[in-house]
Amino acid sequence: MLAVTDRPDEPHRVIWHVDDDLETATGVTSGAWILGGDYPVGLEREQDLLQVDAVLDSREAITAIAERMRSAAEELKASTKNLRLPAVTDPDWASYEEAFSGEPIAQECWVRVRAVVDLIGIWHGMERARLRRKALKEADPSYRPLPAR
């Protein structure tokens, strides 16, 4: 489980959980909270909600995941001939911003979540391709988690 976060202003925090398990296919958002201010969930819940595998608190942190995914793809392609992997693309921040509709205070967090969900879909495609190759599967038979750290 990942937590995508934003601090839009001093009294508020936005936290969105995203499940990156291979069984979820393309990533599933599994909870969103606006904490503080006039919202019903207080800031005292923040640390509890951040007990996840990784916390992604900026666009830069998410772009770094794409970079680590590209490195992983290069390593896989170097180790195996004719391995077809999905292309790792950088987040399309502008399209996510245009698609947003909802509570304005949550916009930046939602934009980040959309980017993470897209990257999870690409990563799952890479892992499925890797696990279909006998030699690669024998070297590491388990699903490798999204390189979020």
Side-chain angles (χ1 to χ4, degrees):
M1 183 71 64
L2 307 172
V4 180
T5 66
D6 185 37
R7 294 175 180 238
D9 56 34
E10 189 49 42
H12 297 101
R13 306 292 181 268
V14 181
I15 300 173
W16 219 302
H17 284 175
V18 182
D19 190 348
D20 65 333
D21 188 320
L22 182 62
E23 300 304 315
T24 62
T26 59
V28 173
T29 58
S30 59
W33 299 267
I34 300 174
L35 288 68
D38 294 335
Y39 291 92
V41 181
L43 290 173
E44 67 277 0
R45 290 275 328 273
E46 182 175 20
Q47 290 308 310
D48 180 47
L49 292 169
L50 296 178
Q51 298 300 311
V52 294
D53 298 322
V55 175
L56 305 170
D57 60 0
S58 67
R59 290 184 182 197
E60 293 78 16
I62 295 163
T63 300
I65 293 172
E67 293 168 7
R68 288 190 289 275
M69 289 171 59
R70 270 192 283 282
S71 294
E74 289 171 11
E75 289 175 18
L76 286 172
K77 287 179 179 179
S79 69
T80 305
K81 290 184 179 184
N82 301 320
L83 179 63
R84 292 195 173 158
L85 299 173
V88 179
T89 56
D90 287 324
D92 184 356
W93 303 112
S95 74
Y96 304 136
E97 290 168 357
E98 288 175 22
F100 178 76
S101 66
E103 193 75 28
I105 199 166
Q107 180 176 6
E108 177 59 24
C109 194
W110 185 88
V111 165
R112 294 176 190 174
V113 166
R114 296 307 320 150
V116 170
V117 167
D118 285 353
L119 290 174
I120 289 170
I122 295 167
W123 182 254
H124 286 177
M126 289 173 58
E127 281 298 283
R128 284 187 181 99
R130 181 184 69 80
L131 292 171
R132 281 192 299 266
R133 290 295 183 104
K134 184 179 179 185
L136 295 175
K137 187 174 183 175
E138 287 175 355
D140 185 357
S142 60
Y143 167 77
R144 299 178 307 166
L146 182 77
R149 295 187 240 192

